[in-house]
Amino acid sequence: MEQQMFCFQCEQTGGGTGCTGCAGVCGKSETAAALQDILTGALVNLAAVCPDETPSPTLSRLLLRSLFATITNVDFNPQTLQAHIDEVHALLKTYGGSPAQDFSLQEIWHAQEDIRSLKSLLLFGIRGMSAYAYHALMLGRSNAEVNSFLCKGLAALQASLSVEELLPLVMEAGKVNLTCMAMLDEANTGTYGKPEPATVSLTIEKGPFIVVTGHDLKDLELLLKQTEGTGVSVYTHGEMLPAHAYPELKKYPHLKGNFGTAWQNQQKEFDAIPGALLFTTNCLMPPRPSYADRVFTTEAVSYQGTVHIDDRKDFTPVIQKALALGGYAEPQHFTGINGGTSVVTGFGHDAVLSVADTVIDAVKQGKIRRFFLVGGCDGARPGRNYYTEFVKKTPADSLILTLACGKFRFNDLDLGTVGGLPRLLDMGQCNDAYSAIKVALALADAFHCGVNDLPLSLVLSWYEQKAVCILLTLLYLGIQNIYLGPTLPAFLSPHILSYLVEQYHISPISTPEADLKKILAH
C-alpha cells in the first residue's frame, strides 16, 4: 500500500480533518510523517512477535523512546527517525520477525470509521503514555504493567477487533496511564523533593544565559550542575516553569526565572535571542533563521541542522554558545500575556493537601463555592482566548486549579485570594495531571461523596497525545461533565463521540459566559 501523508493526531490538524500533502501544520515534512508511520508500523510488528509477557528493559526502552519520537513537535529529522526504524528492525530480527511484515497505518486510516476512531484513540493514548513513562525511566523508574500494556496495545492495532472489543482496550489505556502518572509523580518527588509554592520572576538578568524548554527535569538538573561556576544563568520556558518549585532544583542560585510563555509563541519570543536554547522534549517548533544557530536538542527531540546533545549529556556546546552570545547588556523586564511581572507555581498535591483542612472549612463556611480545573495544552488556533476569559469571569468565591502550558494564557493574572488561599493554584506540568486527580479524590473522600458530586468542574484544552491519555484516564475514573476544547478531536467518529457524550457528558466549549452559567446552575 502506497505511503502518503495523513495525520490527524493533534488539535490543529489541517482543515479540522487531517494534514495531507507535503507538510503538516506542525511543520513536519511529508518525509518525516511517512517515517513516523513506518516507525509505528515497525513497533506494532515488534510488539506482535515479542514472546515475553513482560518486555525486557532493552525492548521497553526502545518502545518508549521510539513512540516518543512520533508525538507532535518532537522529531522532525528523517535521519533520526530512520535510525529508530533501523534499531527496531534489528531487535525485531532477534525475535524472528521480518521488517517485510511491518504493519501499515493506512489500514487504520482506511478502516470503518468507528474502528478507525477507537484504534486512533488507543494509538495516540499509547504515544502519550510513552512520554510519561520515558520521563520516569530517565529517573530510574519503570513499571512492568505499563511496559506490558504498550506491547498489548500496539499489537491490538493490527488485530481484527470489533467496537465492543476495542472499547475496553481504550479504557484500559486510561487505567494503565493512571499507574504511569503515579510512577512519574513518585519519580519526580522522590528525586527532587515535594514541590513547594514559589514565585518566579519574568525578568532576565544581564549576562550569558540558557533557556531550557520541554519537560525533562533530569536534563535540567544535569545542565545546572554543568553550568555551576561558569557565570551562565539558566531560565525555564514553557512546561519547565514548575522546576522552580522542586527543592533539589531551586537550590541552584543560577536557576534564575522564567523566559517567555507557551510553546507556540517560541518563534516570536526566541527571535534573535542572545542566549542558547535547549529543547529537552516535545514542543519544538521549526526554528527560524534568526535563532536556529543557538538551538540545541537532546533525547527524543531532533531537527535537521541543529546540534544534538547525545546520551553522554555533555552540555559544553550549549554553555559555550551562551558565553559567546553574552546575553543582554542590561536586565530585561518581560511580562506575561496579561502584563504580570511574575508567576507562582508549586501547588502540587502535597502542597494543596497540606492545607486541606483550610479548604474544607472554607467550603463548609460557604467561602469557596466552586472548584475549577482549567488547564491543558496551549496552541495557536484561534479561540484559545476562551480560557483566559473563562478564568477572568469565574466568581470570586471559586478556587482555580491549573496545570500544563495552557496556564500561560492567564497565570500572570492577580485573581486575589479565597479562604486564605490564592485563587489560582498552578499544579505543574501536563505530566503532573496526577496531582489534580489525587486532590479531587481526596476532596471526594473528605466530603464522603463521589468525584462527580463535588462542586468541581473540568474545563480542559488539548493539543497533542499526552492530553489524549490524560482524557482516557479521566474517563476510566468515571469523571463526567468535562468541557473540552477548543475543538473536539478530528479522529472521533460521530458514533464514538455520541457514545462519549452519552456515557460521560463531555461537552465542547461554547462561550465562557454560557458555559459558566451552565456550570454554576448545578
Side-chain angles (χ1 to χ4, degrees):
M1 189 173 295
E2 183 182 354
Q3 202 71 35
Q4 54 185 333
M5 183 171 185
F6 175 76
C7 183
F8 60 176
Q9 68 178 3
C10 84
E11 190 271 337
Q12 292 179 180
T13 194
T17 56
C19 291
T20 58
C22 61
V25 171
C26 68
K28 68 181 175 183
S29 66
E30 183 179 16
T31 300
L35 288 170
Q36 287 180 355
D37 285 357
I38 293 170
L39 175 57
T40 303
L43 291 170
V44 171
N45 189 9
L46 177 60
V49 303
C50 173
D52 304 320
E53 185 173 324
T54 301
S56 68
T58 299
L59 174 56
S60 296
R61 191 180 194 282
L62 179 60
L63 286 174
L64 296 178
R65 189 159 185 170
S66 298
L67 283 166
F68 203 164
T70 66
I71 290 178
T72 306
N73 294 91
V74 175
D75 194 333
F76 295 81
N77 192 338
Q79 289 182 326
T80 57
L81 290 169
Q82 185 60 57
H84 284 303
I85 294 169
D86 294 342
E87 192 175 1
V88 172
H89 283 164
L91 187 58
L92 177 66
K93 290 175 182 177
T94 69
Y95 287 115
S98 169
Q101 298 173 340
D102 281 350
F103 177 70
S104 171
L105 291 191
Q106 297 293 318
E107 293 186 29
I108 295 180
W109 310 150
H110 295 290
Q112 188 272 337
E113 63 176 2
D114 293 339
I115 301 297
R116 180 184 68 174
S117 183
L118 290 172
K119 285 193 173 182
S120 297
L121 265 174
L122 181 59
L123 171 59
F124 302 155
I126 285 172
R127 285 178 173 173
M129 196 189 313
S130 74
Y132 295 140
Y134 191 76
H135 287 306
L137 185 63
M138 293 302 96
L139 296 176
R141 272 69 166 186
S142 186
N143 183 278
E145 180 189 6
V146 172
N147 295 335
S148 295
F149 182 77
L150 292 176
C151 280
K152 177 182 178 181
L154 284 168
L157 295 175
Q158 69 174 3
S160 297
L161 300 175
S162 66
V163 168
E164 291 73 22
E165 292 170 313
L166 283 168
L167 273 171
L169 264 176
V170 170
M171 289 300 106
E172 187 178 354
K175 173 180 178 292
V176 176
N177 187 57
L178 181 62
T179 299
C180 186
M181 289 195 296
M183 171 179 64
L184 178 56
D185 177 79
E186 191 279 327
N188 286 337
T189 58
T191 305
Y192 301 114
K194 297 176 181 178
E196 302 165 347
T199 300
V200 183
S201 172
L202 303 183
T203 293
I204 307 301
E205 299 179 9
K206 66 178 182 179
F209 67 95
I210 298 169
V211 175
V212 184
T213 190
H215 302 75
D216 200 283
L217 300 180
K218 181 66 175 179
D219 284 329
L220 176 60
E221 178 194 23
L222 293 173
L223 180 67
L224 287 169
K225 287 181 177 179
Q226 293 180 37
T227 46
E228 281 188 296
T230 64
V232 174
S233 298
V234 176
Y235 295 85
T236 57
H237 172 267
E239 288 272 51
M240 292 300 293
L241 167 65
H244 293 275
Y246 287 94
E248 291 302 309
L249 294 176
K250 67 180 183 180
K251 71 181 183 182
Y252 292 93
H254 58 298
L255 177 61
K256 296 289 189 178
N258 190 73
F259 179 92
T261 53
W263 68 273
Q264 80 281 354
N265 298 320
Q266 64 190 251
Q267 290 181 329
K268 176 179 66 176
E269 294 175 345
F270 292 168
D271 188 46
I273 182 176
L277 303 160
L278 176 63
F279 286 81
T280 66
T281 60
N282 58 309
C283 298
L284 171 69
M285 291 188 73
R288 288 182 173 172
S290 63
Y291 64 88
D293 66 319
R294 57 210 67 183
V295 169
F296 298 82
T297 61
T298 192
E299 290 300 339
V301 192
S302 186
Y303 195 87
Q304 283 181 303
T306 63
V307 176
H308 187 78
I309 306 299
D310 63 23
D311 290 347
R312 292 172 293 180
K313 298 298 182 183
D314 180 359
F315 291 113
T316 300
V318 191
I319 298 168
Q320 290 176 337
K321 175 60 74 171
L323 289 168
L325 290 167
Y328 293 107
E330 298 295 335
Q332 301 294 304
H333 302 289
F334 295 102
T335 65
I337 290 176
N338 302 286
T341 58
S342 65
V343 292
V344 178
T345 189
F347 289 94
H349 58 83
D350 287 295
V352 175
L353 294 179
S354 70
V355 294
D357 290 343
T358 301
V359 174
I360 292 167
D361 287 343
V363 173
K364 290 180 177 178
Q365 295 171 22
K367 295 179 180 178
I368 296 178
R369 178 164 56 118
R370 195 86 196 172
F371 298 91
F372 294 96
L373 174 60
V374 185
C377 311
D378 205 357
R381 184 190 293 274
R384 287 184 179 266
N385 286 338
Y386 165 96
Y387 297 94
T388 309
E389 295 307 311
F390 186 95
V391 167
K392 287 180 177 179
K393 290 176 169 33
T394 53
D397 57 358
S398 63
L399 193 65
I400 301 162
L401 307 174
T402 190
L403 49 80
C405 61
K407 64 175 171 273
F408 281 100
R409 295 270 173 176
F410 49 78
N411 68 338
D412 64 322
L413 290 170
D414 182 2
L415 298 179
T417 62
V418 60
L421 295 169
R423 282 195 57 221
L424 182 63
L425 304 179
D426 175 13
M427 307 191 81
Q429 300 178 338
C430 65
N431 298 11
D432 298 312
Y434 179 73
S435 273
I437 291 171
K438 195 163 184 177
V439 167
L441 294 175
L443 287 174
D445 184 62
F447 288 109
H448 307 290
C449 66
V451 173
N452 293 318
D453 299 316
L454 288 170
L456 168 67
S457 297
L458 279 65
V459 183
L460 307 180
S461 56
W462 80 283
Y463 174 71
E464 43 89 355
Q465 296 77 66
K466 288 185 286 184
V468 174
C469 66
I470 291 173
L471 178 61
L472 294 181
T473 295
L474 296 175
L475 299 183
Y476 159 72
L477 291 169
I479 295 176
Q480 300 196 1
N481 300 308
I482 297 171
Y483 287 76
L484 186 63
T487 62
L488 294 178
F491 50 81
L492 289 180
S493 67
H495 182 238
I496 298 302
L497 178 58
S498 295
Y499 170 83
L500 295 176
V501 171
E502 180 181 339
Q503 294 293 317
Y504 301 99
H505 302 104
I506 292 178
S507 300
I509 60 171
S510 58
T511 66
E513 297 82 0
D515 291 343
L516 272 169
K517 182 178 180 180
K518 184 178 176 182
I519 289 169
L520 296 174
H522 296 285

